[in-house]
Amino acid sequence: MAEAHDALFRTLADPTRRALFERLCREGEKTVGALTAQAGVSQPVVSRHLALLKQAGLVRDRHEGRQTHYSAQLDALAPLVDWTSQMAGFWQSRFDRLEDLLKRMDQ
Amino acid sequence: MAEAHDALFRTLADPTRRALFERLCREGEKTVGALTAQAGVSQPVVSRHLALLKQAGLVRDRHEGRQTHYSAQLDALAPLVDWTSQMAGFWQSRFDRLEDLLKRMDQ
DNA sequence: GATATATAGACAGATAAGCATATATTTCAG
DNA sequence: CTGAAATATATGCTTATCTGTCTATATATC
């Protein structure tokens, strides 16, 4: 379970890779060529980043003729949301306990 | 703005560092010594990780005598939440446009 | 003086990104 | 059928960054 967070954070930590993912989120499905045209890095590098994103479950690929279309897979962000709200939840529950304590002290 | 995401993802990508942050979220304020005792790495390493977490705004420190107490700073996760919901938002709006298109085609 | 922490130096090892290039695959077009 | 196009993948290389070690040492507190 921690490994999922590991892969997510690690995969999204690279700016180039995160930029690719963001573009797919913003603009929807894109071919490798279209992504390469604006990525500022070479095509093999783009392909490798896409492979890593796919490995992390963050993107999906669809083959059409000699092109490959990539699109963002939003479900993959769920562990991130879970983790975040879990952290916030721990904080909240500690806050609740503190409130309880203060309430009891008040009596 | 992207730099904030950069720092957050990069800071949380390291397992040891993320574990420290998670412990602070779960168990509340802790001294460096207490954190070191279970971190599996040396005290200087723990201090450096804490410095990086602090630099990213993820933790806060409080000096008390010769000890330093660290605690999680949940606000720092806001950009992460924003980013996530922004990505989901882009997806949603494209989905909406698709629905509109289908609706129009249906007529 | 002992304790708790921060910080710094030097070093080793791992990991990752980037490049260039080559090549294999599949697909499409002439 | 042949060649070009789109992509994936691999190799080799360079460079950078990061984590960790250990070993100081500075600082403040008790």
Side-chain angles (χ1 to χ4, degrees):
Chain A
M1 20 188 98
E3 298 78 22
H5 300 148
D6 235 62
L8 270 184
F9 281 117
R10 201 170 356 101
T11 305
L12 292 171
D14 181 70
T16 305
R17 198 156 48 223
R18 195 173 60 254
L20 284 171
F21 179 69
E22 289 178 3
R23 266 193 76 198
L24 290 176
C25 285
R26 274 179 228 274
E27 309 172 15
E29 204 176 58
K30 288 253 173 286
T31 67
V32 177
L35 291 169
T36 300
Q38 299 190 25
V41 292
S42 69
Q43 175 262 317
V45 169
V46 169
S47 278
R48 245 179 91 244
H49 280 306
L50 289 171
L52 290 173
L53 284 167
K54 183 181 171 186
Q55 195 180 326
L58 285 161
V59 300
R60 203 166 52 88
D61 59 346
R62 179 176 69 79
H63 298 278
E64 186 181 316
R66 52 185 151 176
Q67 296 185 320
T68 310
H69 298 256
Y70 279 87
S71 54
Q73 196 71 11
L74 266 292
D75 317 3
L77 291 180
L80 200 60
V81 177
D82 290 346
W83 181 85
T84 310
S85 55
Q86 204 183 354
M87 290 310 120
F90 288 134
W91 182 81
Q92 184 61 46
S93 64
R94 282 190 296 108
F95 184 75
D96 291 346
R97 281 198 297 275
L98 176 64
E99 271 194 325
D100 283 357
L101 180 65
L102 292 178
K103 223 174 287 176
R104 279 196 302 274
M105 287 173 64
D106 201 33
Q107 292 172 352
Chain B
M1 19 187 101
E3 298 77 25
H5 300 147
D6 235 61
L8 271 184
F9 281 118
R10 199 168 359 97
T11 304
L12 292 171
D14 181 70
T16 305
R17 197 157 48 225
R18 196 174 59 254
L20 283 171
F21 179 68
E22 290 178 2
R23 266 193 77 197
L24 290 177
C25 285
R26 275 179 229 273
E27 309 171 17
E29 205 177 56
K30 288 252 173 287
T31 67
V32 177
L35 290 169
T36 301
Q38 299 190 25
V41 290
S42 69
Q43 176 264 316
V45 169
V46 169
S47 279
R48 249 179 88 242
H49 280 306
L50 289 171
L52 290 174
L53 285 167
K54 183 182 172 186
Q55 194 178 329
L58 284 161
V59 300
R60 204 166 54 87
D61 59 346
R62 181 175 69 81
H63 299 279
E64 186 182 317
R66 52 186 153 177
Q67 295 185 320
T68 309
H69 298 256
Y70 279 87
S71 54
Q73 196 70 11
L74 266 294
D75 316 2
L77 290 180
L80 201 62
V81 176
D82 290 347
W83 181 86
T84 309
S85 55
Q86 204 182 356
M87 292 307 120
F90 288 135
W91 182 83
Q92 183 62 44
S93 64
R94 284 189 296 104
F95 185 75
D96 291 345
R97 283 198 297 276
L98 177 64
E99 271 194 324
D100 283 356
L101 180 65
L102 293 177
K103 224 174 287 176
R104 282 197 301 275
M105 287 173 64
D106 201 34
Q107 291 173 351

